Amino acid sequence: MDLFEPWFIVGGFALGFVLLWLGNWLERRSGVAAAVCFALCGVAFSETSLYWLSAGTGSNVPQFLWIAFPVAFAAFVVWRGWRQRTWIARIPGSADRQTFGVLPHLGRGVPLNHPDPGPVRTTVEFDQQGHRVLGIEYSITPRREDEQFAEVAKVAEQIDSIYSAVELRIPAVPALTISPKTGAFEPEHFTPLEDARITRNAFGWLRPDTALETFEVDAEFDRRFSVTTSDPKFAAAALTDEVRALILGDLWFRVHEVAFHGDATWTTESGGLTEDRMFGSSRRLAMLVAAVPAPVWEVWGGDRGFASVTTGSDTSYVAWNGGRGGAVRTPVNRFREAADRQPVTSVSLTTRTIIALALTLLGLLPILNSLSALVGVAPETQLSVLEAHEGFAGNCSSRSASCTGSNDWVRGTYVLDGETHDVSTEWIDTLPAKGAVVDVEIGPLWWHPVLESSLAAVVTLLIGLLPLLAGAMLAKATYRPRPPRRVRKLRRAQEATVT
Protein backbone atom coordinates (compact mmCIF):
# COMPACT_ATOMS: atom_id res chain seq x y z
CA MET A 1 0.00 0.00 0.00
CA ASP A 2 2.84 2.41 0.85
CA LEU A 3 4.23 1.88 -2.65
CA PHE A 4 1.07 3.24 -4.27
CA GLU A 5 0.49 6.23 -1.94
CA PRO A 6 2.53 8.72 -4.04
CA TRP A 7 0.65 7.65 -7.18
CA PHE A 8 -2.69 8.19 -5.43
CA ILE A 9 -1.63 11.77 -4.69
CA VAL A 10 -0.30 12.45 -8.20
CA GLY A 11 -3.37 10.86 -9.78
CA GLY A 12 -5.75 12.87 -7.58
CA PHE A 13 -4.21 16.21 -8.52
CA ALA A 14 -4.03 15.19 -12.20
CA LEU A 15 -7.73 14.30 -12.10
CA GLY A 16 -8.47 17.71 -10.57
CA PHE A 17 -6.65 19.52 -13.40
CA VAL A 18 -8.46 17.43 -16.04
CA LEU A 19 -11.84 18.25 -14.46
CA LEU A 20 -10.92 21.93 -14.29
CA TRP A 21 -10.03 21.99 -17.99
CA LEU A 22 -13.17 20.03 -18.86
CA GLY A 23 -15.31 22.50 -16.88
CA ASN A 24 -13.80 25.44 -18.77
CA TRP A 25 -14.37 23.66 -22.08
CA LEU A 26 -18.01 22.89 -21.22
CA GLU A 27 -18.75 26.35 -19.82
CA ARG A 28 -20.10 27.71 -23.10
CA ARG A 29 -21.88 24.49 -24.01
CA SER A 30 -23.63 23.36 -20.85
CA GLY A 31 -23.72 25.34 -17.62
CA VAL A 32 -24.92 22.33 -15.62
CA ALA A 33 -22.15 20.05 -16.90
CA ALA A 34 -19.55 22.76 -16.25
CA ALA A 35 -20.82 23.25 -12.68
CA VAL A 36 -20.63 19.48 -12.06
CA CYS A 37 -17.03 19.40 -13.36
CA PHE A 38 -16.04 22.37 -11.20
CA ALA A 39 -17.60 20.72 -8.15
CA LEU A 40 -15.84 17.40 -8.82
CA CYS A 41 -12.60 19.32 -9.39
CA GLY A 42 -12.93 20.89 -5.94
CA VAL A 43 -13.63 17.50 -4.38
CA ALA A 44 -10.63 15.91 -6.14
CA PHE A 45 -8.22 18.65 -5.06
CA SER A 46 -9.45 18.81 -1.47
CA GLU A 47 -9.65 15.06 -0.90
CA THR A 48 -6.19 14.56 -2.42
CA SER A 49 -4.77 17.31 -0.21
CA LEU A 50 -6.32 15.75 2.90
CA TYR A 51 -5.03 12.30 1.95
CA TRP A 52 -1.56 13.77 1.39
CA LEU A 53 -1.71 15.44 4.80
CA SER A 54 -2.87 12.26 6.50
CA ALA A 55 -0.42 9.91 4.76
CA GLY A 56 2.49 12.35 4.84
CA THR A 57 2.29 13.09 8.56
CA GLY A 58 1.27 9.59 9.64
CA SER A 59 -1.66 11.12 11.53
CA ASN A 60 -5.40 10.70 11.41
CA VAL A 61 -7.21 13.67 9.94
CA PRO A 62 -10.45 14.40 11.87
CA GLN A 63 -13.37 12.74 10.12
CA PHE A 64 -15.44 15.91 9.75
CA LEU A 65 -12.68 17.49 7.60
CA TRP A 66 -13.06 14.74 5.03
CA ILE A 67 -16.62 15.98 4.50
CA ALA A 68 -16.57 19.69 5.38
CA PHE A 69 -13.43 20.72 3.53
CA PRO A 70 -14.28 19.28 0.07
CA VAL A 71 -17.88 20.53 0.33
CA ALA A 72 -16.72 24.06 1.21
CA PHE A 73 -14.05 24.03 -1.49
CA ALA A 74 -16.45 22.75 -4.15
CA ALA A 75 -19.04 25.35 -3.15
CA PHE A 76 -16.46 28.12 -3.49
CA VAL A 77 -15.36 26.91 -6.94
CA VAL A 78 -18.97 26.69 -8.16
CA TRP A 79 -19.79 30.12 -6.74
CA ARG A 80 -16.74 31.68 -8.43
CA GLY A 81 -17.65 30.03 -11.72
CA TRP A 82 -21.22 31.33 -11.48
CA ARG A 83 -20.07 34.88 -10.70
CA GLN A 84 -17.63 34.83 -13.61
CA ARG A 85 -20.33 33.65 -16.01
CA THR A 86 -22.92 36.19 -14.85
CA TRP A 87 -20.91 39.36 -14.11
CA ILE A 88 -21.65 40.86 -17.54
CA ALA A 89 -25.40 40.48 -17.01
CA ARG A 90 -25.13 42.42 -13.74
CA ILE A 91 -23.72 45.56 -15.42
CA PRO A 92 -26.52 48.09 -16.09
CA GLY A 93 -26.88 49.02 -19.77
CA SER A 94 -24.30 46.52 -20.99
CA ALA A 95 -24.51 45.25 -24.57
CA ASP A 96 -22.80 42.48 -26.52
CA ARG A 97 -22.53 44.57 -29.70
CA GLN A 98 -19.31 46.49 -30.39
CA THR A 99 -19.81 50.07 -31.64
CA PHE A 100 -16.23 51.41 -31.55
CA GLY A 101 -12.63 50.36 -31.17
CA VAL A 102 -10.63 47.60 -32.79
CA LEU A 103 -11.00 43.86 -33.36
CA PRO A 104 -8.20 41.26 -33.12
CA HIS A 105 -6.69 39.93 -36.33
CA LEU A 106 -3.34 38.09 -36.37
CA GLY A 107 -1.80 40.31 -33.70
CA ARG A 108 -3.25 43.53 -35.11
CA GLY A 109 -6.05 45.77 -33.91
CA VAL A 110 -8.18 46.15 -37.03
CA PRO A 111 -11.29 48.34 -37.57
CA LEU A 112 -14.84 47.02 -37.21
CA ASN A 113 -15.34 46.76 -40.98
CA HIS A 114 -12.41 44.37 -41.43
CA PRO A 115 -13.47 41.42 -43.64
CA ASP A 116 -11.74 38.70 -41.57
CA PRO A 117 -11.42 39.47 -37.82
CA GLY A 118 -10.01 36.87 -35.47
CA PRO A 119 -12.03 34.55 -33.21
CA VAL A 120 -13.91 36.60 -30.56
CA ARG A 121 -15.38 34.71 -27.61
CA THR A 122 -17.01 37.46 -25.53
CA THR A 123 -17.89 41.12 -26.05
CA VAL A 124 -19.29 43.61 -23.52
CA GLU A 125 -19.75 47.38 -23.92
CA PHE A 126 -21.21 49.89 -21.46
CA ASP A 127 -20.92 53.42 -20.06
CA GLN A 128 -18.78 54.06 -17.00
CA GLN A 129 -18.21 57.46 -15.33
CA GLY A 130 -18.97 59.31 -18.58
CA HIS A 131 -16.72 57.05 -20.69
CA ARG A 132 -17.72 54.32 -23.11
CA VAL A 133 -15.72 51.16 -22.37
CA LEU A 134 -15.43 47.88 -24.23
CA GLY A 135 -14.15 44.45 -23.28
CA ILE A 136 -13.27 41.63 -25.70
CA GLU A 137 -12.17 38.09 -24.97
CA TYR A 138 -10.45 36.57 -27.98
CA SER A 139 -8.22 33.74 -29.10
CA ILE A 140 -4.86 34.09 -30.80
CA THR A 141 -5.23 30.60 -32.30
CA PRO A 142 -6.29 30.88 -35.97
CA ARG A 143 -9.46 29.13 -37.06
CA ARG A 144 -8.85 25.57 -38.22
CA GLU A 145 -11.06 24.17 -40.95
CA ASP A 146 -9.46 20.73 -40.78
CA GLU A 147 -11.58 18.56 -38.47
CA GLN A 148 -8.58 16.35 -37.78
CA PHE A 149 -6.96 19.04 -35.64
CA ALA A 150 -10.11 20.75 -34.36
CA GLU A 151 -10.06 19.15 -30.89
CA VAL A 152 -6.30 19.65 -30.52
CA ALA A 153 -6.76 23.33 -31.36
CA LYS A 154 -9.47 23.64 -28.68
CA VAL A 155 -7.15 22.17 -26.05
CA ALA A 156 -4.28 24.50 -27.02
CA GLU A 157 -6.65 27.46 -26.98
CA GLN A 158 -7.86 26.73 -23.45
CA ILE A 159 -4.33 26.30 -22.13
CA ASP A 160 -2.49 29.37 -23.43
CA SER A 161 -4.31 31.17 -26.27
CA ILE A 162 -7.04 33.19 -24.55
CA TYR A 163 -6.47 36.94 -24.17
CA SER A 164 -8.60 39.92 -23.26
CA ALA A 165 -8.61 43.49 -24.56
CA VAL A 166 -10.10 46.44 -22.69
CA GLU A 167 -10.81 49.55 -24.77
CA LEU A 168 -11.96 53.09 -24.00
CA ARG A 169 -13.52 55.37 -26.60
CA ILE A 170 -11.64 58.58 -27.46
CA PRO A 171 -11.64 61.06 -30.35
CA ALA A 172 -9.95 59.65 -33.47
CA VAL A 173 -6.20 60.24 -33.14
CA PRO A 174 -2.98 58.95 -34.78
CA ALA A 175 -1.40 55.73 -33.58
CA LEU A 176 0.76 55.67 -30.45
CA THR A 177 1.99 52.63 -28.48
CA ILE A 178 3.72 52.52 -25.08
CA SER A 179 5.28 49.14 -24.30
CA PRO A 180 7.14 48.18 -21.09
CA LYS A 181 10.59 46.66 -21.48
CA THR A 182 11.87 43.55 -19.74
CA GLY A 183 14.94 43.99 -17.55
CA ALA A 184 14.24 47.72 -17.32
CA PHE A 185 15.25 47.97 -13.65
CA GLU A 186 18.40 45.88 -13.81
CA PRO A 187 20.96 45.81 -12.34
CA GLU A 188 19.58 47.89 -9.44
CA HIS A 189 16.34 45.88 -9.18
CA PHE A 190 15.62 42.32 -10.30
CA THR A 191 11.99 41.79 -11.38
CA PRO A 192 11.64 38.29 -12.90
CA LEU A 193 7.90 37.98 -12.14
CA GLU A 194 7.11 41.31 -13.77
CA ASP A 195 9.27 40.48 -16.78
CA ALA A 196 7.52 37.12 -17.18
CA ARG A 197 4.14 38.87 -17.09
CA ILE A 198 5.27 41.41 -19.70
CA THR A 199 6.39 38.60 -21.99
CA ARG A 200 3.18 36.61 -21.47
CA ASN A 201 0.98 39.63 -22.22
CA ALA A 202 3.02 40.50 -25.31
CA PHE A 203 2.00 37.27 -27.09
CA GLY A 204 -1.57 38.51 -27.48
CA TRP A 205 -0.80 42.21 -27.86
CA LEU A 206 -2.87 44.00 -30.53
CA ARG A 207 -0.71 46.49 -32.39
CA PRO A 208 -2.28 49.33 -34.39
CA ASP A 209 -2.93 48.37 -37.99
CA THR A 210 -0.72 51.07 -39.49
CA ALA A 211 2.93 51.90 -40.10
CA LEU A 212 4.79 52.91 -36.92
CA GLU A 213 8.17 54.41 -36.18
CA THR A 214 10.23 54.49 -32.99
CA PHE A 215 9.90 57.66 -30.94
CA GLU A 216 12.45 58.64 -28.27
CA VAL A 217 11.14 60.57 -25.25
CA ASP A 218 13.90 60.94 -22.64
CA ALA A 219 16.62 58.75 -21.14
CA GLU A 220 14.66 57.58 -18.08
CA PHE A 221 11.42 56.89 -19.93
CA ASP A 222 13.17 55.19 -22.85
CA ARG A 223 15.04 52.92 -20.43
CA ARG A 224 11.75 51.49 -19.16
CA PHE A 225 9.38 51.85 -22.12
CA SER A 226 9.54 51.70 -25.90
CA VAL A 227 7.32 54.14 -27.81
CA THR A 228 6.20 53.89 -31.42
CA THR A 229 3.90 56.24 -33.31
CA SER A 230 2.55 57.13 -36.72
CA ASP A 231 2.82 60.86 -35.91
CA PRO A 232 5.83 62.05 -33.87
CA LYS A 233 4.22 65.44 -33.25
CA PHE A 234 1.19 63.77 -31.71
CA ALA A 235 3.42 61.60 -29.51
CA ALA A 236 5.40 64.62 -28.31
CA ALA A 237 2.21 66.50 -27.47
CA ALA A 238 0.59 63.56 -25.68
CA LEU A 239 3.58 62.36 -23.63
CA THR A 240 3.89 65.39 -21.37
CA ASP A 241 5.70 65.43 -18.04
CA GLU A 242 2.41 64.68 -16.24
CA VAL A 243 1.61 61.71 -18.48
CA ARG A 244 5.13 60.29 -18.18
CA ALA A 245 5.03 60.70 -14.38
CA LEU A 246 1.75 58.77 -14.27
CA ILE A 247 3.13 55.93 -16.39
CA LEU A 248 6.45 55.76 -14.53
CA GLY A 249 4.82 55.88 -11.09
CA ASP A 250 2.02 53.34 -11.57
CA LEU A 251 2.94 49.65 -11.47
CA TRP A 252 -0.02 48.75 -13.69
CA PHE A 253 1.71 50.39 -16.69
CA ARG A 254 4.87 48.45 -15.81
CA VAL A 255 3.31 45.22 -17.16
CA HIS A 256 0.64 46.46 -19.61
CA GLU A 257 1.11 47.80 -23.12
CA VAL A 258 -1.15 50.71 -24.10
CA ALA A 259 -2.13 51.86 -27.59
CA PHE A 260 -3.95 54.86 -29.07
CA HIS A 261 -5.34 54.55 -32.57
CA GLY A 262 -8.51 55.77 -34.22
CA ASP A 263 -11.39 56.14 -31.78
CA ALA A 264 -9.97 53.91 -29.02
CA THR A 265 -7.18 53.46 -26.53
CA TRP A 266 -6.70 49.87 -25.37
CA THR A 267 -4.61 47.36 -23.48
CA THR A 268 -4.42 43.58 -23.62
CA GLU A 269 -3.71 40.90 -21.06
CA SER A 270 -3.18 37.16 -20.96
CA GLY A 271 -6.27 35.28 -19.79
CA GLY A 272 -10.02 35.60 -20.09
CA LEU A 273 -12.08 38.75 -19.69
CA THR A 274 -12.95 38.94 -15.99
CA GLU A 275 -14.79 41.57 -14.01
CA ASP A 276 -11.58 42.64 -12.25
CA ARG A 277 -9.67 43.03 -15.53
CA MET A 278 -12.53 44.90 -17.15
CA PHE A 279 -12.87 47.54 -14.44
CA GLY A 280 -9.22 47.65 -13.38
CA SER A 281 -7.81 48.17 -16.88
CA SER A 282 -10.53 50.60 -18.02
CA ARG A 283 -9.91 52.70 -14.92
CA ARG A 284 -6.19 52.99 -15.73
CA LEU A 285 -7.02 53.97 -19.31
CA ALA A 286 -9.40 56.66 -18.03
CA MET A 287 -6.66 57.99 -15.73
CA LEU A 288 -4.26 58.10 -18.67
CA VAL A 289 -6.55 60.04 -21.03
CA ALA A 290 -7.38 62.46 -18.19
CA ALA A 291 -3.66 63.30 -17.90
CA VAL A 292 -3.34 64.06 -21.64
CA PRO A 293 -3.58 67.84 -22.23
CA ALA A 294 -6.93 69.13 -23.55
CA PRO A 295 -5.43 70.70 -26.72
CA VAL A 296 -4.32 67.25 -27.88
CA TRP A 297 -7.93 66.07 -28.18
CA GLU A 298 -8.95 69.29 -29.86
CA VAL A 299 -6.07 69.56 -32.36
CA TRP A 300 -5.55 65.91 -33.32
CA GLY A 301 -8.98 64.50 -32.46
CA GLY A 302 -11.16 67.43 -33.46
CA ASP A 303 -13.17 67.13 -30.22
CA ARG A 304 -13.17 70.17 -27.93
CA GLY A 305 -15.56 68.61 -25.40
CA PHE A 306 -13.71 65.37 -24.67
CA ALA A 307 -11.39 67.07 -22.18
CA SER A 308 -14.37 67.97 -19.99
CA VAL A 309 -15.42 64.29 -20.07
CA THR A 310 -12.02 63.16 -18.82
CA THR A 311 -11.77 65.77 -16.07
CA GLY A 312 -15.35 65.12 -14.93
CA SER A 313 -14.82 61.37 -14.63
CA ASP A 314 -14.14 60.08 -11.11
CA THR A 315 -11.36 57.52 -11.52
CA SER A 316 -10.91 56.73 -7.83
CA TYR A 317 -10.99 53.03 -7.00
CA VAL A 318 -14.26 53.19 -5.05
CA ALA A 319 -16.13 55.32 -7.60
CA TRP A 320 -14.98 53.34 -10.63
CA ASN A 321 -15.44 49.86 -9.19
CA GLY A 322 -18.50 50.65 -7.08
CA GLY A 323 -19.30 47.93 -4.58
CA ARG A 324 -17.81 45.17 -6.71
CA GLY A 325 -14.75 44.90 -4.51
CA GLY A 326 -16.80 43.87 -1.48
CA ALA A 327 -16.50 44.98 2.12
CA VAL A 328 -13.03 43.43 2.50
CA ARG A 329 -11.36 43.75 -0.90
CA THR A 330 -12.28 47.42 -1.44
CA PRO A 331 -10.35 48.79 1.60
CA VAL A 332 -7.53 46.30 0.99
CA ASN A 333 -7.06 47.47 -2.60
CA ARG A 334 -7.29 51.14 -1.59
CA PHE A 335 -4.43 50.57 0.83
CA ARG A 336 -2.46 48.56 -1.73
CA GLU A 337 -2.79 51.30 -4.33
CA ALA A 338 -1.60 53.88 -1.80
CA ALA A 339 1.46 51.64 -1.33
CA ASP A 340 1.99 51.34 -5.10
CA ARG A 341 1.05 47.67 -5.08
CA GLN A 342 -1.14 45.95 -7.63
CA PRO A 343 -4.78 45.45 -6.51
CA VAL A 344 -5.75 41.86 -5.77
CA THR A 345 -8.65 40.01 -7.33
CA SER A 346 -11.23 38.21 -5.20
CA VAL A 347 -9.71 34.82 -6.11
CA SER A 348 -6.19 36.03 -5.30
CA LEU A 349 -7.29 37.57 -1.99
CA THR A 350 -9.18 34.42 -1.01
CA THR A 351 -6.28 32.15 -1.95
CA ARG A 352 -3.72 34.26 -0.11
CA THR A 353 -5.93 34.46 2.97
CA ILE A 354 -6.48 30.69 3.04
CA ILE A 355 -2.76 30.01 2.66
CA ALA A 356 -1.88 32.56 5.37
CA LEU A 357 -4.45 31.05 7.75
CA ALA A 358 -3.24 27.52 6.99
CA LEU A 359 0.38 28.50 7.67
CA THR A 360 -0.64 30.28 10.86
CA LEU A 361 -2.59 27.25 12.08
CA LEU A 362 0.27 24.97 11.07
CA GLY A 363 2.56 27.05 13.26
CA LEU A 364 0.20 27.59 16.20
CA LEU A 365 -0.49 23.90 16.74
CA PRO A 366 3.11 22.90 17.61
CA ILE A 367 3.67 26.17 19.48
CA LEU A 368 0.63 25.72 21.73
CA ASN A 369 1.41 22.04 22.27
CA SER A 370 4.99 22.92 23.24
CA LEU A 371 3.95 25.77 25.54
CA SER A 372 1.45 23.54 27.34
CA ALA A 373 4.29 21.08 28.04
CA LEU A 374 6.72 23.80 29.14
CA VAL A 375 4.25 25.34 31.63
CA GLY A 376 3.20 21.93 32.95
CA VAL A 377 -0.43 21.74 31.79
CA ALA A 378 0.00 19.00 29.16
CA PRO A 379 -1.25 15.51 30.09
CA GLU A 380 1.48 13.24 31.49
CA THR A 381 1.73 9.51 30.84
CA GLN A 382 4.24 6.73 30.24
CA LEU A 383 5.38 5.50 26.83
CA SER A 384 6.18 1.78 26.47
CA VAL A 385 8.91 1.56 23.81
CA LEU A 386 8.28 -1.15 21.21
CA GLU A 387 10.96 -0.09 18.72
CA ALA A 388 13.88 2.35 18.93
CA HIS A 389 16.03 3.19 15.91
CA GLU A 390 19.12 5.36 15.97
CA GLY A 391 19.43 7.82 13.12
CA PHE A 392 22.53 8.50 11.09
CA ALA A 393 24.05 11.63 9.62
CA GLY A 394 24.41 10.19 6.14
CA ASN A 395 26.36 11.97 3.47
CA CYS A 396 25.86 14.59 0.77
CA SER A 397 26.66 14.07 -2.89
CA SER A 398 27.93 17.10 -4.76
CA ARG A 399 27.03 15.44 -8.04
CA SER A 400 23.35 15.01 -7.19
CA ALA A 401 23.10 17.93 -4.73
CA SER A 402 21.21 15.66 -2.31
CA CYS A 403 21.80 14.37 1.20
CA THR A 404 20.76 11.14 2.91
CA GLY A 405 20.25 10.62 6.62
CA SER A 406 17.63 10.08 9.31
CA ASN A 407 16.76 11.14 12.86
CA ASP A 408 16.26 8.95 15.91
CA TRP A 409 12.74 7.63 16.16
CA VAL A 410 10.69 5.57 18.53
CA ARG A 411 7.52 3.53 18.20
CA GLY A 412 5.54 2.75 21.31
CA THR A 413 2.21 2.78 23.09
CA TYR A 414 0.74 4.91 25.85
CA VAL A 415 -2.57 5.01 27.72
CA LEU A 416 -4.45 8.29 28.06
CA ASP A 417 -8.02 8.69 29.37
CA GLY A 418 -8.44 4.93 29.33
CA GLU A 419 -7.55 4.62 25.63
CA THR A 420 -4.38 2.98 24.27
CA HIS A 421 -2.53 4.86 21.52
CA ASP A 422 0.13 3.46 19.17
CA VAL A 423 2.51 6.19 17.96
CA SER A 424 5.70 6.61 15.94
CA THR A 425 7.66 9.77 16.62
CA GLU A 426 11.07 11.32 16.14
CA TRP A 427 13.13 11.34 19.34
CA ILE A 428 15.24 14.35 20.27
CA ASP A 429 16.40 13.37 23.79
CA THR A 430 18.56 10.34 24.71
CA LEU A 431 17.26 7.34 22.73
CA PRO A 432 15.62 4.78 25.11
CA ALA A 433 16.13 1.02 24.84
CA LYS A 434 13.53 -1.31 23.44
CA GLY A 435 11.12 -2.35 26.20
CA ALA A 436 11.84 0.74 28.32
CA VAL A 437 9.05 2.79 29.92
CA VAL A 438 9.58 6.55 29.59
CA ASP A 439 7.72 9.47 31.18
CA VAL A 440 6.35 11.73 28.44
CA GLU A 441 3.87 14.57 27.97
CA ILE A 442 1.22 14.57 25.25
CA GLY A 443 0.30 17.72 23.39
CA PRO A 444 -3.36 18.54 24.10
CA LEU A 445 -4.08 19.73 20.51
CA TRP A 446 -4.13 17.80 17.24
CA TRP A 447 -1.89 16.00 16.24
CA HIS A 448 -1.12 15.29 19.94
CA PRO A 449 2.69 15.07 19.69
CA VAL A 450 4.75 13.06 22.17
CA LEU A 451 7.12 15.42 24.03
CA GLU A 452 9.75 13.47 25.93
CA SER A 453 11.57 16.43 27.51
CA SER A 454 11.80 20.22 27.76
CA LEU A 455 14.36 20.13 24.95
CA ALA A 456 11.85 18.40 22.65
CA ALA A 457 9.21 21.00 23.56
CA VAL A 458 11.58 23.89 22.78
CA VAL A 459 12.64 22.39 19.44
CA THR A 460 8.99 21.81 18.48
CA LEU A 461 8.17 25.39 19.44
CA LEU A 462 10.99 26.75 17.28
CA ILE A 463 9.85 24.61 14.34
CA GLY A 464 6.34 26.01 14.73
CA LEU A 465 7.63 29.57 14.51
CA LEU A 466 8.65 29.10 10.85
CA PRO A 467 5.17 28.61 9.33
CA LEU A 468 3.71 31.12 11.78
CA LEU A 469 6.12 33.82 10.62
CA ALA A 470 5.55 32.83 6.97
CA GLY A 471 1.79 33.16 7.41
CA ALA A 472 2.14 36.52 9.15
CA MET A 473 4.45 37.83 6.40
CA LEU A 474 2.03 36.68 3.67
CA ALA A 475 -0.90 38.33 5.46
CA LYS A 476 1.02 41.58 5.83
CA ALA A 477 2.17 41.51 2.20
CA THR A 478 -1.46 41.05 1.17
CA TYR A 479 -3.36 43.37 3.51
CA ARG A 480 -0.75 45.95 4.60
CA PRO A 481 2.21 45.86 2.19
CA ARG A 482 5.08 48.31 2.19
CA PRO A 483 5.78 50.30 -0.98
CA PRO A 484 8.57 48.81 -3.13
CA ARG A 485 12.09 49.94 -2.28
CA ARG A 486 12.45 51.94 -5.48
CA VAL A 487 9.16 53.73 -4.73
CA ARG A 488 10.29 54.56 -1.19
CA LYS A 489 13.53 56.00 -2.54
CA LEU A 490 11.60 58.07 -5.08
CA ARG A 491 9.24 59.40 -2.43
CA ARG A 492 12.11 60.34 -0.12
CA ALA A 493 13.78 62.21 -2.97
CA GLN A 494 10.53 64.04 -3.75
CA GLU A 495 10.06 64.98 -0.07
CA ALA A 496 13.64 66.28 0.07
CA THR A 497 13.02 68.40 -3.03
CA VAL A 498 9.85 69.91 -1.55
CA THR A 499 11.49 70.77 1.78
Side-chain angles (χ1 to χ4, degrees), residues 98 101-105 108-117 209 261 263:
Q98 183 176 350
V102 297
L103 287 168
H105 174 70
R108 296 280 182 176
V110 297
L112 298 182
N113 58 0
H114 193 277
D116 183 32
D209 190 24
H261 188 215
D263 62 351

Side-chain angles (χ1 to χ4, degrees), residues 382-390 408-413 427 429-440 452:
Q382 290 184 319
L383 178 72
S384 299
V385 179
L386 302 178
E387 295 181 61
H389 294 270
E390 186 176 357
D408 296 346
W409 71 274
V410 167
R411 187 176 76 85
T413 61
W427 202 264
D429 207 355
T430 303
L431 188 66
K434 181 179 179 180
V437 178
V438 184
D439 293 330
V440 296
E452 68 273 20

Side-chain angles (χ1 to χ4, degrees), residues 1-16 43-53 55-56 66:
M1 184 67 180
D2 293 341
L3 181 64
F4 293 103
E5 282 182 352
W7 296 107
F8 290 156
I9 298 171
V10 173
F13 284 127
L15 176 62
V43 172
F45 272 114
S46 57
E47 291 289 354
T48 304
S49 300
L50 286 172
Y51 178 78
W52 191 2
L53 176 64
W66 290 96

Side-chain angles (χ1 to χ4, degrees), residues 29 66 102 209 251 269 300 312 371 430:
R29 296 165 175 79
W66 290 96
V102 297
D209 190 24
L251 291 182
E269 189 167 358
W300 276 272
L371 288 176
T430 303

Side-chain angles (χ1 to χ4, degrees), residues 73-402:
F73 192 91
F76 172 73
V77 172
V78 172
W79 176 77
R80 282 301 306 164
W82 174 81
R83 281 189 61 85
Q84 177 54 33
R85 291 192 302 273
T86 60
W87 70 267
I88 294 177
R90 298 194 301 270
I91 299 176
S94 62
D96 58 0
R97 184 174 62 89
Q98 183 176 350
T99 62
F100 75 97
V102 297
L103 287 168
H105 174 70
L106 301 178
R108 296 280 182 176
V110 297
L112 298 182
N113 58 0
H114 193 277
D116 183 32
V120 173
R121 296 159 51 94
T122 300
T123 300
V124 57
E125 183 177 319
F126 56 94
D127 292 317
Q128 180 72 1
Q129 290 292 328
H131 288 284
R132 189 70 175 174
V133 296
L134 167 71
I136 299 175
E137 182 179 299
Y138 60 96
S139 171
I140 61 174
T141 302
R143 293 186 178 91
R144 291 185 181 272
E145 304 298 335
D146 190 348
E147 290 295 331
Q148 181 180 358
F149 298 101
E151 293 301 320
V152 177
K154 290 178 181 179
V155 175
E157 180 181 81
Q158 290 289 343
I159 294 174
D160 198 29
S161 298
I162 304 302
Y163 284 79
S164 55
V166 176
E167 307 182 34
L168 186 141
R169 186 164 59 188
I170 59 173
V173 295
L176 171 66
T177 70
I178 307 166
S179 307
K181 294 180 178 180
T182 57
F185 294 101
E186 298 176 0
E188 293 87 357
H189 304 283
F190 185 50
T191 55
L193 296 180
E194 285 189 347
D195 288 350
R197 190 172 177 185
I198 293 170
T199 303
R200 189 168 63 251
N201 289 342
F203 280 109
W205 168 237
L206 302 179
R207 288 164 176 78
D209 190 24
T210 186
L212 301 173
E213 61 181 274
T214 301
F215 180 79
E216 294 183 353
V217 183
D218 60 44
E220 176 61 19
F221 196 85
D222 293 339
R223 183 174 70 90
R224 295 172 53 177
F225 295 91
S226 61
V227 178
T228 60
T229 182
S230 62
D231 188 340
K233 292 183 178 179
F234 168 71
L239 294 175
T240 61
D241 292 342
E242 181 182 357
V243 172
R244 297 201 304 273
L246 170 66
I247 296 173
L248 290 171
D250 194 320
L251 291 182
W252 183 89
F253 293 98
R254 172 73 189 106
V255 295
H256 291 83
E257 296 177 288
V258 176
F260 295 82
H261 188 215
D263 62 351
T265 176
W266 70 86
T267 186
T268 57
E269 189 167 358
S270 172
L273 182 66
T274 65
E275 188 174 12
D276 289 309
R277 284 181 179 143
M278 182 74 235
F279 283 89
S281 296
S282 61
R283 173 173 167 257
R284 280 334 199 283
L285 295 176
M287 293 168 60
L288 180 61
V289 299
V292 175
V296 172
W297 307 119
E298 182 178 353
V299 174
W300 276 272
D303 191 335
R304 183 177 299 179
F306 185 71
S308 62
V309 174
T310 63
T311 55
S313 178
D314 189 348
T315 57
S316 64
Y317 179 86
V318 175
W320 194 270
N321 291 273
R324 292 177 178 84
V328 176
R329 191 159 61 96
T330 296
V332 168
N333 279 339
R334 290 177 66 184
F335 189 91
R336 290 181 64 86
E337 288 200 344
D340 278 83
R341 296 289 185 179
Q342 294 285 354
V344 290
T345 64
S346 56
V347 173
S348 176
L349 181 61
T350 302
T351 303
R352 293 184 185 202
T353 302
I354 291 175
I355 294 175
L357 289 175
L359 288 171
T360 302
L361 180 62
L362 190 64
L364 283 176
L365 287 174
I367 290 174
L368 293 177
N369 280 323
S370 300
L371 288 176
S372 65
L374 291 173
V375 300
V377 298
E380 297 180 357
T381 186
Q382 290 184 319
L383 178 72
S384 299
V385 179
L386 302 178
E387 295 181 61
H389 294 270
E390 186 176 357
F392 60 94
N395 53 49
C396 295
S397 172
S398 58
R399 179 175 300 178
S400 62
S402 62

